PDB file of all heavy atoms in Angstrom:
ATOM      1  N   GLU A  11     -33.003 123.398 113.387  1.00  0.00           N
ATOM      2  CA  GLU A  11     -32.356 123.036 112.132  1.00  0.00           C
ATOM      3  C   GLU A  11     -33.371 122.619 111.071  1.00  0.00           C
ATOM      4  O   GLU A  11     -33.072 122.665 109.883  1.00  0.00           O
ATOM      5  CB  GLU A  11     -31.351 121.912 112.367  1.00  0.00           C
ATOM      6  CG  GLU A  11     -30.195 122.326 113.285  1.00  0.00           C
ATOM      7  CD  GLU A  11     -29.224 121.199 113.537  1.00  0.00           C
ATOM      8  OE1 GLU A  11     -29.608 120.025 113.284  1.00  0.00           O
ATOM      9  OE2 GLU A  11     -28.093 121.455 113.981  1.00  0.00           O
ATOM     10  N   ALA A  12     -34.561 122.186 111.506  1.00  0.00           N
ATOM     11  CA  ALA A  12     -35.588 121.771 110.557  1.00  0.00           C
ATOM     12  C   ALA A  12     -36.035 122.973 109.725  1.00  0.00           C
ATOM     13  O   ALA A  12     -36.002 124.115 110.182  1.00  0.00           O
ATOM     14  CB  ALA A  12     -36.780 121.168 111.301  1.00  0.00           C
ATOM     15  N   VAL A  13     -36.456 122.697 108.505  1.00  0.00           N
ATOM     16  CA  VAL A  13     -36.871 123.752 107.577  1.00  0.00           C
ATOM     17  C   VAL A  13     -38.316 123.515 107.186  1.00  0.00           C
ATOM     18  O   VAL A  13     -38.716 122.388 106.866  1.00  0.00           O
ATOM     19  CB  VAL A  13     -35.972 123.764 106.328  1.00  0.00           C
ATOM     20  CG1 VAL A  13     -36.440 124.833 105.347  1.00  0.00           C
ATOM     21  CG2 VAL A  13     -34.523 123.999 106.720  1.00  0.00           C
ATOM     22  N   ASP A  14     -39.118 124.567 107.207  1.00  0.00           N
ATOM     23  CA  ASP A  14     -40.514 124.464 106.814  1.00  0.00           C
ATOM     24  C   ASP A  14     -40.647 124.325 105.305  1.00  0.00           C
ATOM     25  O   ASP A  14     -39.744 124.690 104.535  1.00  0.00           O
ATOM     26  CB  ASP A  14     -41.278 125.725 107.253  1.00  0.00           C
ATOM     27  CG  ASP A  14     -41.606 125.719 108.732  1.00  0.00           C
ATOM     28  OD1 ASP A  14     -42.174 124.720 109.202  1.00  0.00           O
ATOM     29  OD2 ASP A  14     -41.287 126.715 109.408  1.00  0.00           O
ATOM     30  N   GLU A  15     -41.811 123.835 104.891  1.00  0.00           N
ATOM     31  CA  GLU A  15     -42.154 123.878 103.480  1.00  0.00           C
ATOM     32  C   GLU A  15     -42.189 125.345 103.033  1.00  0.00           C
ATOM     33  O   GLU A  15     -42.493 126.232 103.823  1.00  0.00           O
ATOM     34  CB  GLU A  15     -43.514 123.230 103.248  1.00  0.00           C
ATOM     35  CG  GLU A  15     -43.533 121.721 103.476  1.00  0.00           C
ATOM     36  CD  GLU A  15     -42.653 120.983 102.479  1.00  0.00           C
ATOM     37  OE1 GLU A  15     -42.589 121.422 101.310  1.00  0.00           O
ATOM     38  OE2 GLU A  15     -42.017 119.982 102.879  1.00  0.00           O
ATOM     39  N   PRO A  16     -41.856 125.608 101.761  1.00  0.00           N
ATOM     40  CA  PRO A  16     -41.766 127.005 101.305  1.00  0.00           C
ATOM     41  C   PRO A  16     -42.996 127.850 101.614  1.00  0.00           C
ATOM     42  O   PRO A  16     -42.861 129.005 102.027  1.00  0.00           O
ATOM     43  CB  PRO A  16     -41.545 126.859  99.791  1.00  0.00           C
ATOM     44  CG  PRO A  16     -40.841 125.546  99.651  1.00  0.00           C
ATOM     45  CD  PRO A  16     -41.431 124.664 100.706  1.00  0.00           C
ATOM     46  N   GLU A  17     -44.195 127.289 101.432  1.00  0.00           N
ATOM     47  CA  GLU A  17     -45.404 128.074 101.687  1.00  0.00           C
ATOM     48  C   GLU A  17     -45.503 128.472 103.155  1.00  0.00           C
ATOM     49  O   GLU A  17     -45.851 129.616 103.490  1.00  0.00           O
ATOM     50  CB  GLU A  17     -46.652 127.281 101.293  1.00  0.00           C
ATOM     51  CG  GLU A  17     -47.947 128.048 101.535  1.00  0.00           C
ATOM     52  CD  GLU A  17     -49.198 127.216 101.269  1.00  0.00           C
ATOM     53  OE1 GLU A  17     -49.058 126.023 100.936  1.00  0.00           O
ATOM     54  OE2 GLU A  17     -50.306 127.759 101.411  1.00  0.00           O
ATOM     55  N   VAL A  18     -45.157 127.538 104.037  1.00  0.00           N
ATOM     56  CA  VAL A  18     -45.227 127.814 105.472  1.00  0.00           C
ATOM     57  C   VAL A  18     -44.163 128.835 105.866  1.00  0.00           C
ATOM     58  O   VAL A  18     -44.422 129.782 106.618  1.00  0.00           O
ATOM     59  CB  VAL A  18     -45.063 126.511 106.271  1.00  0.00           C
ATOM     60  CG1 VAL A  18     -45.044 126.809 107.775  1.00  0.00           C
ATOM     61  CG2 VAL A  18     -46.187 125.535 105.933  1.00  0.00           C
ATOM     62  N   ALA A  19     -42.933 128.650 105.347  1.00  0.00           N
ATOM     63  CA  ALA A  19     -41.856 129.590 105.660  1.00  0.00           C
ATOM     64  C   ALA A  19     -42.194 130.994 105.186  1.00  0.00           C
ATOM     65  O   ALA A  19     -41.887 131.986 105.856  1.00  0.00           O
ATOM     66  CB  ALA A  19     -40.549 129.113 105.026  1.00  0.00           C
ATOM     67  N   ALA A  20     -42.852 131.089 104.025  1.00  0.00           N
ATOM     68  CA  ALA A  20     -43.216 132.403 103.497  1.00  0.00           C
ATOM     69  C   ALA A  20     -44.208 133.104 104.420  1.00  0.00           C
ATOM     70  O   ALA A  20     -44.095 134.310 104.671  1.00  0.00           O
ATOM     71  CB  ALA A  20     -43.796 132.254 102.094  1.00  0.00           C
ATOM     72  N   VAL A  21     -45.171 132.370 104.943  1.00  0.00           N
ATOM     73  CA  VAL A  21     -46.160 132.975 105.843  1.00  0.00           C
ATOM     74  C   VAL A  21     -45.490 133.391 107.150  1.00  0.00           C
ATOM     75  O   VAL A  21     -45.698 134.497 107.654  1.00  0.00           O
ATOM     76  CB  VAL A  21     -47.326 132.007 106.102  1.00  0.00           C
ATOM     77  CG1 VAL A  21     -48.273 132.580 107.160  1.00  0.00           C
ATOM     78  CG2 VAL A  21     -48.090 131.730 104.818  1.00  0.00           C
ATOM     79  N   LYS A  22     -44.691 132.508 107.725  1.00  0.00           N
ATOM     80  CA  LYS A  22     -44.039 132.819 109.002  1.00  0.00           C
ATOM     81  C   LYS A  22     -43.081 133.995 108.889  1.00  0.00           C
ATOM     82  O   LYS A  22     -42.833 134.699 109.881  1.00  0.00           O
ATOM     83  CB  LYS A  22     -43.286 131.596 109.516  1.00  0.00           C
ATOM     84  CG  LYS A  22     -44.186 130.476 110.003  1.00  0.00           C
ATOM     85  CD  LYS A  22     -43.353 129.318 110.539  1.00  0.00           C
ATOM     86  CE  LYS A  22     -44.242 128.189 111.053  1.00  0.00           C
ATOM     87  NZ  LYS A  22     -43.429 127.039 111.546  1.00  0.00           N
ATOM     88  N   GLY A  23     -42.542 134.214 107.704  1.00  0.00           N
ATOM     89  CA  GLY A  23     -41.589 135.309 107.542  1.00  0.00           C
ATOM     90  C   GLY A  23     -42.206 136.668 107.346  1.00  0.00           C
ATOM     91  O   GLY A  23     -41.508 137.681 107.414  1.00  0.00           O
ATOM     92  N   ARG A  24     -43.519 136.736 107.133  1.00  0.00           N
ATOM     93  CA  ARG A  24     -44.165 138.023 106.884  1.00  0.00           C
ATOM     94  C   ARG A  24     -44.109 138.941 108.103  1.00  0.00           C
ATOM     95  O   ARG A  24     -44.205 138.489 109.241  1.00  0.00           O
ATOM     96  CB  ARG A  24     -45.632 137.801 106.511  1.00  0.00           C
ATOM     97  CG  ARG A  24     -45.854 137.133 105.180  1.00  0.00           C
ATOM     98  CD  ARG A  24     -47.340 136.960 104.953  1.00  0.00           C
ATOM     99  NE  ARG A  24     -47.641 136.352 103.664  1.00  0.00           N
ATOM    100  CZ  ARG A  24     -48.867 136.096 103.239  1.00  0.00           C
ATOM    101  NH1 ARG A  24     -49.908 136.402 104.009  1.00  0.00           N
ATOM    102  NH2 ARG A  24     -49.061 135.542 102.065  1.00  0.00           N
ATOM    103  N   ALA A  25     -44.046 140.229 107.836  1.00  0.00           N
ATOM    104  CA  ALA A  25     -44.020 141.201 108.928  1.00  0.00           C
ATOM    105  C   ALA A  25     -45.299 141.150 109.753  1.00  0.00           C
ATOM    106  O   ALA A  25     -45.277 141.431 110.962  1.00  0.00           O
ATOM    107  CB  ALA A  25     -43.795 142.603 108.371  1.00  0.00           C
ATOM    108  N   GLN A  26     -46.434 140.785 109.142  1.00  0.00           N
ATOM    109  CA  GLN A  26     -47.687 140.759 109.875  1.00  0.00           C
ATOM    110  C   GLN A  26     -47.701 139.701 110.976  1.00  0.00           C
ATOM    111  O   GLN A  26     -48.561 139.732 111.855  1.00  0.00           O
ATOM    112  CB  GLN A  26     -48.855 140.527 108.922  1.00  0.00           C
ATOM    113  CG  GLN A  26     -48.997 139.109 108.403  1.00  0.00           C
ATOM    114  CD  GLN A  26     -50.095 138.970 107.378  1.00  0.00           C
ATOM    115  OE1 GLN A  26     -49.816 139.046 106.179  1.00  0.00           O
ATOM    116  NE2 GLN A  26     -51.335 138.788 107.819  1.00  0.00           N
ATOM    117  N   MET A  27     -46.731 138.773 110.957  1.00  0.00           N
ATOM    118  CA  MET A  27     -46.675 137.774 112.017  1.00  0.00           C
ATOM    119  C   MET A  27     -46.343 138.409 113.370  1.00  0.00           C
ATOM    120  O   MET A  27     -46.627 137.823 114.414  1.00  0.00           O
ATOM    121  CB  MET A  27     -45.667 136.685 111.681  1.00  0.00           C
ATOM    122  CG  MET A  27     -46.110 135.743 110.576  1.00  0.00           C
ATOM    123  SD  MET A  27     -47.648 134.857 110.951  1.00  0.00           S
ATOM    124  CE  MET A  27     -47.122 133.806 112.319  1.00  0.00           C
ATOM    125  N   ALA A  28     -45.753 139.604 113.370  1.00  0.00           N
ATOM    126  CA  ALA A  28     -45.537 140.309 114.641  1.00  0.00           C
ATOM    127  C   ALA A  28     -46.875 140.590 115.307  1.00  0.00           C
ATOM    128  O   ALA A  28     -47.030 140.435 116.533  1.00  0.00           O
ATOM    129  CB  ALA A  28     -44.767 141.604 114.406  1.00  0.00           C
ATOM    130  N   GLY A  29     -47.869 140.988 114.520  1.00  0.00           N
ATOM    131  CA  GLY A  29     -49.207 141.205 115.069  1.00  0.00           C
ATOM    132  C   GLY A  29     -49.864 139.917 115.505  1.00  0.00           C
ATOM    133  O   GLY A  29     -50.612 139.893 116.496  1.00  0.00           O
ATOM    134  N   VAL A  30     -49.589 138.836 114.788  1.00  0.00           N
ATOM    135  CA  VAL A  30     -50.146 137.535 115.177  1.00  0.00           C
ATOM    136  C   VAL A  30     -49.623 137.124 116.545  1.00  0.00           C
ATOM    137  O   VAL A  30     -50.381 136.652 117.409  1.00  0.00           O
ATOM    138  CB  VAL A  30     -49.806 136.475 114.110  1.00  0.00           C
ATOM    139  CG1 VAL A  30     -50.212 135.077 114.586  1.00  0.00           C
ATOM    140  CG2 VAL A  30     -50.498 136.809 112.792  1.00  0.00           C
ATOM    141  N   ILE A  31     -48.322 137.291 116.772  1.00  0.00           N
ATOM    142  CA  ILE A  31     -47.750 136.932 118.076  1.00  0.00           C
ATOM    143  C   ILE A  31     -48.313 137.839 119.167  1.00  0.00           C
ATOM    144  O   ILE A  31     -48.627 137.380 120.278  1.00  0.00           O
ATOM    145  CB  ILE A  31     -46.214 137.016 118.034  1.00  0.00           C
ATOM    146  CG1 ILE A  31     -45.648 136.027 116.997  1.00  0.00           C
ATOM    147  CG2 ILE A  31     -45.620 136.738 119.397  1.00  0.00           C
ATOM    148  CD1 ILE A  31     -45.984 134.578 117.274  1.00  0.00           C
ATOM    149  N   ALA A  32     -48.470 139.129 118.879  1.00  0.00           N
ATOM    150  CA  ALA A  32     -49.059 140.044 119.865  1.00  0.00           C
ATOM    151  C   ALA A  32     -50.483 139.617 120.209  1.00  0.00           C
ATOM    152  O   ALA A  32     -50.895 139.634 121.381  1.00  0.00           O
ATOM    153  CB  ALA A  32     -49.042 141.476 119.335  1.00  0.00           C
ATOM    154  N   ASN A  33     -51.251 139.204 119.206  1.00  0.00           N
ATOM    155  CA  ASN A  33     -52.608 138.721 119.467  1.00  0.00           C
ATOM    156  C   ASN A  33     -52.602 137.433 120.281  1.00  0.00           C
ATOM    157  O   ASN A  33     -53.498 137.203 121.105  1.00  0.00           O
ATOM    158  CB  ASN A  33     -53.343 138.496 118.148  1.00  0.00           C
ATOM    159  CG  ASN A  33     -53.757 139.793 117.476  1.00  0.00           C
ATOM    160  OD1 ASN A  33     -53.807 140.837 118.122  1.00  0.00           O
ATOM    161  ND2 ASN A  33     -54.029 139.736 116.187  1.00  0.00           N
ATOM    162  N   ALA A  34     -51.618 136.585 120.037  1.00  0.00           N
ATOM    163  CA  ALA A  34     -51.527 135.334 120.797  1.00  0.00           C
ATOM    164  C   ALA A  34     -51.286 135.613 122.273  1.00  0.00           C
ATOM    165  O   ALA A  34     -51.821 134.913 123.151  1.00  0.00           O
ATOM    166  CB  ALA A  34     -50.412 134.461 120.231  1.00  0.00           C
ATOM    167  N   VAL A  35     -50.487 136.642 122.569  1.00  0.00           N
ATOM    168  CA  VAL A  35     -50.279 137.033 123.968  1.00  0.00           C
ATOM    169  C   VAL A  35     -51.568 137.611 124.539  1.00  0.00           C
ATOM    170  O   VAL A  35     -51.981 137.283 125.667  1.00  0.00           O
ATOM    171  CB  VAL A  35     -49.123 138.046 124.083  1.00  0.00           C
ATOM    172  CG1 VAL A  35     -48.986 138.549 125.517  1.00  0.00           C
ATOM    173  CG2 VAL A  35     -47.811 137.420 123.621  1.00  0.00           C
ATOM    174  N   LEU A  36     -52.228 138.464 123.782  1.00  0.00           N
ATOM    175  CA  LEU A  36     -53.484 139.061 124.234  1.00  0.00           C
ATOM    176  C   LEU A  36     -54.529 137.987 124.526  1.00  0.00           C
ATOM    177  O   LEU A  36     -55.322 138.108 125.468  1.00  0.00           O
ATOM    178  CB  LEU A  36     -53.996 140.033 123.168  1.00  0.00           C
ATOM    179  CG  LEU A  36     -55.284 140.799 123.490  1.00  0.00           C
ATOM    180  CD1 LEU A  36     -55.075 141.696 124.704  1.00  0.00           C
ATOM    181  CD2 LEU A  36     -55.718 141.620 122.280  1.00  0.00           C
ATOM    182  N   ASP A  37     -54.514 136.936 123.719  1.00  0.00           N
ATOM    183  CA  ASP A  37     -55.466 135.840 123.921  1.00  0.00           C
ATOM    184  C   ASP A  37     -55.317 135.219 125.300  1.00  0.00           C
ATOM    185  O   ASP A  37     -56.297 134.737 125.882  1.00  0.00           O
ATOM    186  CB  ASP A  37     -55.243 134.791 122.829  1.00  0.00           C
ATOM    187  CG  ASP A  37     -56.278 133.684 122.872  1.00  0.00           C
ATOM    188  OD1 ASP A  37     -57.445 133.965 123.201  1.00  0.00           O
ATOM    189  OD2 ASP A  37     -55.912 132.526 122.590  1.00  0.00           O
ATOM    190  N   ARG A  38     -54.093 135.231 125.835  1.00  0.00           N
ATOM    191  CA  ARG A  38     -53.852 134.632 127.152  1.00  0.00           C
ATOM    192  C   ARG A  38     -54.166 135.595 128.284  1.00  0.00           C
ATOM    193  O   ARG A  38     -54.000 135.250 129.458  1.00  0.00           O
ATOM    194  CB  ARG A  38     -52.394 134.146 127.262  1.00  0.00           C
ATOM    195  CG  ARG A  38     -51.934 133.288 126.097  1.00  0.00           C
ATOM    196  CD  ARG A  38     -52.849 132.093 125.810  1.00  0.00           C
ATOM    197  NE  ARG A  38     -52.720 131.067 126.813  1.00  0.00           N
ATOM    198  CZ  ARG A  38     -51.834 130.060 126.748  1.00  0.00           C
ATOM    199  NH1 ARG A  38     -51.025 129.961 125.707  1.00  0.00           N
ATOM    200  NH2 ARG A  38     -51.770 129.163 127.705  1.00  0.00           N
ATOM    201  N   GLN A  39     -54.604 136.816 127.945  1.00  0.00           N
ATOM    202  CA  GLN A  39     -54.970 137.814 128.954  1.00  0.00           C
ATOM    203  C   GLN A  39     -56.461 138.145 128.919  1.00  0.00           C
ATOM    204  O   GLN A  39     -56.902 139.088 129.567  1.00  0.00           O
ATOM    205  CB  GLN A  39     -54.160 139.099 128.714  1.00  0.00           C
ATOM    206  CG  GLN A  39     -52.655 138.931 128.791  1.00  0.00           C
ATOM    207  CD  GLN A  39     -51.901 140.181 128.371  1.00  0.00           C
ATOM    208  OE1 GLN A  39     -52.495 141.171 127.949  1.00  0.00           O
ATOM    209  NE2 GLN A  39     -50.580 140.136 128.479  1.00  0.00           N
ATOM    210  N   ARG A  40     -57.226 137.386 128.155  1.00  0.00           N
ATOM    211  CA  ARG A  40     -58.666 137.658 128.061  1.00  0.00           C
ATOM    212  C   ARG A  40     -59.358 137.249 129.353  1.00  0.00           C
ATOM    213  O   ARG A  40     -59.153 136.149 129.866  1.00  0.00           O
ATOM    214  CB  ARG A  40     -59.272 136.919 126.875  1.00  0.00           C
ATOM    215  CG  ARG A  40     -58.871 137.538 125.546  1.00  0.00           C
ATOM    216  CD  ARG A  40     -59.779 137.069 124.425  1.00  0.00           C
ATOM    217  NE  ARG A  40     -59.545 135.684 124.070  1.00  0.00           N
ATOM    218  CZ  ARG A  40     -60.293 135.016 123.193  1.00  0.00           C
ATOM    219  NH1 ARG A  40     -61.325 135.619 122.613  1.00  0.00           N
ATOM    220  NH2 ARG A  40     -60.026 133.756 122.907  1.00  0.00           N
ATOM    221  N   MET A  41     -60.169 138.158 129.870  1.00  0.00           N
ATOM    222  CA  MET A  41     -60.826 137.946 131.148  1.00  0.00           C
ATOM    223  C   MET A  41     -62.230 137.342 130.957  1.00  0.00           C
ATOM    224  O   MET A  41     -62.936 137.706 130.023  1.00  0.00           O
ATOM    225  CB  MET A  41     -60.948 139.271 131.910  1.00  0.00           C
ATOM    226  CG  MET A  41     -59.615 139.889 132.285  1.00  0.00           C
ATOM    227  SD  MET A  41     -58.662 138.870 133.444  1.00  0.00           S
ATOM    228  CE  MET A  41     -57.283 138.360 132.384  1.00  0.00           C
ATOM    229  N   PRO A  42     -62.636 136.432 131.862  1.00  0.00           N
ATOM    230  CA  PRO A  42     -63.990 135.857 131.774  1.00  0.00           C
ATOM    231  C   PRO A  42     -65.068 136.933 131.952  1.00  0.00           C
ATOM    232  O   PRO A  42     -64.862 137.934 132.645  1.00  0.00           O
ATOM    233  CB  PRO A  42     -64.019 134.860 132.941  1.00  0.00           C
ATOM    234  CG  PRO A  42     -62.587 134.591 133.263  1.00  0.00           C
ATOM    235  CD  PRO A  42     -61.844 135.848 132.940  1.00  0.00           C
ATOM    236  N   ARG A  43     -66.204 136.705 131.325  1.00  0.00           N
ATOM    237  CA  ARG A  43     -67.321 137.642 131.437  1.00  0.00           C
ATOM    238  C   ARG A  43     -68.316 137.224 132.524  1.00  0.00           C
ATOM    239  O   ARG A  43     -69.381 137.829 132.657  1.00  0.00           O
ATOM    240  CB  ARG A  43     -68.037 137.748 130.093  1.00  0.00           C
ATOM    241  CG  ARG A  43     -67.150 138.325 128.998  1.00  0.00           C
ATOM    242  CD  ARG A  43     -67.905 138.442 127.687  1.00  0.00           C
ATOM    243  NE  ARG A  43     -67.049 138.992 126.638  1.00  0.00           N
ATOM    244  CZ  ARG A  43     -67.443 139.194 125.384  1.00  0.00           C
ATOM    245  NH1 ARG A  43     -68.705 138.887 125.036  1.00  0.00           N
ATOM    246  NH2 ARG A  43     -66.615 139.684 124.489  1.00  0.00           N
ATOM    247  N   VAL A  44     -67.967 136.200 133.254  1.00  0.00           N
ATOM    248  CA  VAL A  44     -68.806 135.733 134.371  1.00  0.00           C
ATOM    249  C   VAL A  44     -67.926 135.687 135.613  1.00  0.00           C
ATOM    250  O   VAL A  44     -66.698 135.613 135.517  1.00  0.00           O
ATOM    251  CB  VAL A  44     -69.405 134.348 134.073  1.00  0.00           C
ATOM    252  CG1 VAL A  44     -70.345 134.411 132.886  1.00  0.00           C
ATOM    253  CG2 VAL A  44     -68.293 133.319 133.825  1.00  0.00           C
ATOM    254  N   PRO A  45     -68.512 135.746 136.801  1.00  0.00           N
ATOM    255  CA  PRO A  45     -67.700 135.677 138.025  1.00  0.00           C
ATOM    256  C   PRO A  45     -66.873 134.401 138.079  1.00  0.00           C
ATOM    257  O   PRO A  45     -67.305 133.329 137.633  1.00  0.00           O
ATOM    258  CB  PRO A  45     -68.748 135.731 139.143  1.00  0.00           C
ATOM    259  CG  PRO A  45     -69.926 136.410 138.521  1.00  0.00           C
ATOM    260  CD  PRO A  45     -69.948 135.959 137.092  1.00  0.00           C
ATOM    261  N   VAL A  46     -65.673 134.521 138.644  1.00  0.00           N
ATOM    262  CA  VAL A  46     -64.763 133.385 138.772  1.00  0.00           C
ATOM    263  C   VAL A  46     -64.731 132.954 140.235  1.00  0.00           C
ATOM    264  O   VAL A  46     -64.298 133.727 141.110  1.00  0.00           O
ATOM    265  CB  VAL A  46     -63.338 133.760 138.313  1.00  0.00           C
ATOM    266  CG1 VAL A  46     -62.369 132.606 138.571  1.00  0.00           C
ATOM    267  CG2 VAL A  46     -63.336 134.145 136.838  1.00  0.00           C
ATOM    268  N   PRO A  47     -65.210 131.753 140.555  1.00  0.00           N
ATOM    269  CA  PRO A  47     -65.143 131.279 141.943  1.00  0.00           C
ATOM    270  C   PRO A  47     -63.708 130.942 142.322  1.00  0.00           C
ATOM    271  O   PRO A  47     -62.944 130.398 141.512  1.00  0.00           O
ATOM    272  CB  PRO A  47     -66.022 130.032 141.931  1.00  0.00           C
ATOM    273  CG  PRO A  47     -65.986 129.556 140.518  1.00  0.00           C
ATOM    274  CD  PRO A  47     -65.856 130.778 139.660  1.00  0.00           C
ATOM    275  N   VAL A  48     -63.338 131.277 143.561  1.00  0.00           N
ATOM    276  CA  VAL A  48     -61.994 130.997 144.061  1.00  0.00           C
ATOM    277  C   VAL A  48     -62.129 130.250 145.382  1.00  0.00           C
ATOM    278  O   VAL A  48     -62.302 130.869 146.447  1.00  0.00           O
ATOM    279  CB  VAL A  48     -61.178 132.297 144.251  1.00  0.00           C
ATOM    280  CG1 VAL A  48     -59.779 131.974 144.751  1.00  0.00           C
ATOM    281  CG2 VAL A  48     -61.119 133.099 142.951  1.00  0.00           C
ATOM    282  N   PRO A  49     -62.045 128.927 145.341  1.00  0.00           N
ATOM    283  CA  PRO A  49     -62.076 128.183 146.606  1.00  0.00           C
ATOM    284  C   PRO A  49     -60.772 128.387 147.358  1.00  0.00           C
ATOM    285  O   PRO A  49     -59.699 128.447 146.770  1.00  0.00           O
ATOM    286  CB  PRO A  49     -62.246 126.735 146.140  1.00  0.00           C
ATOM    287  CG  PRO A  49     -61.679 126.709 144.763  1.00  0.00           C
ATOM    288  CD  PRO A  49     -61.941 128.053 144.170  1.00  0.00           C
ATOM    289  N   SER A  50     -60.876 128.522 148.682  1.00  0.00           N
ATOM    290  CA  SER A  50     -59.669 128.723 149.472  1.00  0.00           C
ATOM    291  C   SER A  50     -59.906 128.239 150.892  1.00  0.00           C
ATOM    292  O   SER A  50     -61.048 127.960 151.296  1.00  0.00           O
ATOM    293  CB  SER A  50     -59.280 130.212 149.496  1.00  0.00           C
ATOM    294  OG  SER A  50     -60.128 130.940 150.368  1.00  0.00           O
ATOM    295  N   ALA A  51     -58.852 128.171 151.653  1.00  0.00           N
ATOM    296  CA  ALA A  51     -58.963 127.790 153.059  1.00  0.00           C
ATOM    297  C   ALA A  51     -59.712 128.845 153.855  1.00  0.00           C
ATOM    298  O   ALA A  51     -60.188 128.576 154.964  1.00  0.00           O
ATOM    299  CB  ALA A  51     -57.575 127.577 153.647  1.00  0.00           C
ATOM    300  N   GLN A  52     -59.807 130.061 153.297  1.00  0.00           N
ATOM    301  CA  GLN A  52     -60.529 131.142 153.954  1.00  0.00           C
ATOM    302  C   GLN A  52     -62.032 131.093 153.647  1.00  0.00           C
ATOM    303  O   GLN A  52     -62.782 131.963 154.071  1.00  0.00           O
ATOM    304  CB  GLN A  52     -59.970 132.490 153.477  1.00  0.00           C
ATOM    305  CG  GLN A  52     -58.470 132.622 153.573  1.00  0.00           C
ATOM    306  CD  GLN A  52     -57.988 132.807 154.989  1.00  0.00           C
ATOM    307  OE1 GLN A  52     -58.744 133.281 155.841  1.00  0.00           O
ATOM    308  NE2 GLN A  52     -56.766 132.411 155.270  1.00  0.00           N
ATOM    309  N   GLY A  53     -62.417 130.109 152.853  1.00  0.00           N
ATOM    310  CA  GLY A  53     -63.797 130.016 152.422  1.00  0.00           C
ATOM    311  C   GLY A  53     -63.911 130.323 150.940  1.00  0.00           C
ATOM    312  O   GLY A  53     -62.931 130.672 150.266  1.00  0.00           O
ATOM    313  N   ARG A  54     -65.087 130.195 150.411  1.00  0.00           N
ATOM    314  CA  ARG A  54     -65.293 130.425 148.984  1.00  0.00           C
ATOM    315  C   ARG A  54     -65.302 131.933 148.703  1.00  0.00           C
ATOM    316  O   ARG A  54     -66.096 132.680 149.270  1.00  0.00           O
ATOM    317  CB  ARG A  54     -66.616 129.796 148.540  1.00  0.00           C
ATOM    318  CG  ARG A  54     -66.878 129.917 147.036  1.00  0.00           C
ATOM    319  CD  ARG A  54     -68.217 129.263 146.691  1.00  0.00           C
ATOM    320  NE  ARG A  54     -68.543 129.424 145.282  1.00  0.00           N
ATOM    321  CZ  ARG A  54     -68.119 128.608 144.316  1.00  0.00           C
ATOM    322  NH1 ARG A  54     -67.338 127.573 144.625  1.00  0.00           N
ATOM    323  NH2 ARG A  54     -68.466 128.804 143.068  1.00  0.00           N
TER     324      ARG A  54
END
């Protein structure tokens, strides 16, 4: 129910925000460039 300030609402309403959300998802899929250690009961 809350309403953003006009400047903020204008930015959030732009069509380019679809790409921003897609990039935000991609950001959570970025892989490390160094080996990732995985400790486990089977050994390191």
Side-chain angles (χ1 to χ4, degrees):
E11 296 179 343
V13 178
D14 282 308
E15 291 295 324
E17 180 185 2
V18 176
V21 174
K22 289 182 179 179
R24 292 179 178 180
Q26 75 185 95
M27 288 300 293
V30 172
I31 299 300
N33 286 342
V35 175
L36 182 63
D37 186 35
R38 310 307 287 271
Q39 300 173 356
R40 287 197 288 174
M41 296 296 112
R43 296 181 180 179
V44 296
V46 175
V48 181
S50 76
Q52 309 286 335
R54 183 180 177 86

